[in-house]
Amino acid sequence: MLTVRKSNERGHADHGWLDSHHTFSFANYHDPKHMGYRSLRVINEDRVAEGRGFGAHAHRDMEILSYVLKGKLAHKDSMGHVEVLGPNEIQKMSAGTGVVHSEFNGSETEPVHFLQIWIEPKSRGTTPSYEQLKFEAEEKLDRFKLLASPTQTAGAATINQDTKVSVAELTPGKQITYPLGDKRHAWLHVIHGEVTVNGKALETGDAVAVDDEQALEVSAQGKTNSEILLFDLA
């Protein structure tokens, strides 16, 4: 069963310096029908103006992933990390018992466009941790590139939940398959482009919840590359 979540149905907040679309309820956007999916709690698509950002704020008991689509994201946290994140990198912060961090546009001349993802942890009260991993663009071209996993895997961040997060960029006409299997669920988010997922047509910003399917057949449509983010969930 596939349940489509259209891009224009998402929550939207425009603060001038921040333009944000919320897949699930967040901040002033509240929809009891869209509080999350399985352990996936937040997908925010944020565009932050040059030189602006989120000041120091606290998190606890949440797995937080950031994936930059364009520009640079500057990060600083109470664990001592001072980093800059760009495209084709995954950043993971396991908040655990508590962490304070800030996120700012790392450029004074261009906006930053990124996805922030929250996944509820399997266990609470863990020691906070941080990972930032860079990969080559070719690793996601016409195939799934693993970004995060519950088990230690080379080239992927480790998260405290039975969830795998993968990205793929498809060239026009390309089809790839993701085996899902029994008792697994999926959420697929279209970062940009046009695709079909098991026959369902999706475009930029759309998403689909997947239940009771053995596999996902993802086909690129249109004349330009399409990029997708896939969550394989318990």
Side-chain angles (χ1 to χ4, degrees):
M1 184 174 72
L2 278 71
T3 306
V4 173
R5 172 78 157 141
K6 298 296 291 182
S7 175
N8 60 9
E9 296 172 351
R10 296 180 294 174
H12 181 224
D14 188 348
H15 302 286
W17 66 272
L18 168 66
D19 188 351
S20 185
H21 287 84
H22 310 309
T23 296
F24 305 114
S25 294
F26 187 86
N28 291 330
Y29 167 62
H30 180 78
D31 183 344
K33 294 181 180 179
H34 296 98
M35 297 299 295
Y37 176 73
R38 315 296 295 182
S39 60
L40 181 57
R41 179 61 187 86
V42 166
I43 303 177
N44 288 347
E45 181 180 0
D46 291 340
R47 290 174 172 86
V48 178
E50 46 271 46
R52 301 296 299 272
F54 306 92
H57 57 283
H59 293 281
R60 64 179 300 129
D61 290 324
M62 193 64 72
E63 303 296 294
I64 300 171
L65 302 175
S66 295
Y67 185 68
V68 172
L69 309 179
K70 187 176 181 180
K72 299 177 181 179
L73 183 66
H75 167 95
K76 183 177 182 180
D77 65 47
S78 55
M79 293 178 281
H81 302 101
V82 180
E83 305 287 351
V84 176
L85 182 73
N88 299 319
E89 290 186 81
I90 186 68
Q91 180 196 73
K92 178 225 68 174
M93 189 173 67
S94 293
T97 54
V99 65
V100 176
H101 79 136
S102 62
E103 294 169 296
F104 278 83
N105 188 333
S107 171
E108 294 290 338
T109 59
E110 64 176 6
V112 60
H113 181 196
F114 70 103
L115 296 175
Q116 183 165 110
I117 297 142
W118 293 6
I119 297 171
E120 295 177 355
K122 182 171 61 176
S123 55
R124 296 177 177 271
T126 59
T127 300
S129 64
Y130 179 92
E131 289 181 271
Q132 183 173 329
L133 300 166
K134 187 174 179 61
F135 59 92
E136 298 299 322
E138 292 77 13
E139 295 181 55
K140 66 179 181 182
L141 190 63
D142 291 332
R143 56 178 170 164
F144 284 104
K145 159 62 182 172
L146 185 66
L147 297 180
S149 170
T151 57
Q152 285 192 335
T153 306
T158 305
I159 56 174
N160 176 26
Q161 182 51 268
D162 183 8
T163 296
K164 291 182 178 179
V165 185
S166 301
V167 67
E169 183 174 358
L170 307 183
T171 53
K174 182 67 177 181
Q175 177 175 301
I176 58 175
T177 301
Y178 187 93
L180 201 55
D182 294 332
K183 299 181 180 178
R184 300 296 294 182
H185 306 262
W187 184 275
L188 186 145
H189 177 89
V190 182
I191 294 173
H192 64 81
E194 301 173 44
V195 300
T196 60
V197 180
N198 292 8
K200 289 278 190 181
L202 304 172
E203 56 188 28
T204 301
D206 292 348
V208 62
V210 182
D211 302 286
D212 300 319
E213 300 279 343
Q214 291 295 307
L216 297 182
E217 300 287 346
V218 184
S219 300
Q221 311 295 317
K223 298 180 180 179
T224 59
N225 287 9
S226 299
E227 188 169 6
I228 57 172
L229 194 63
L230 177 65
F231 300 84
D232 179 339
L233 302 149

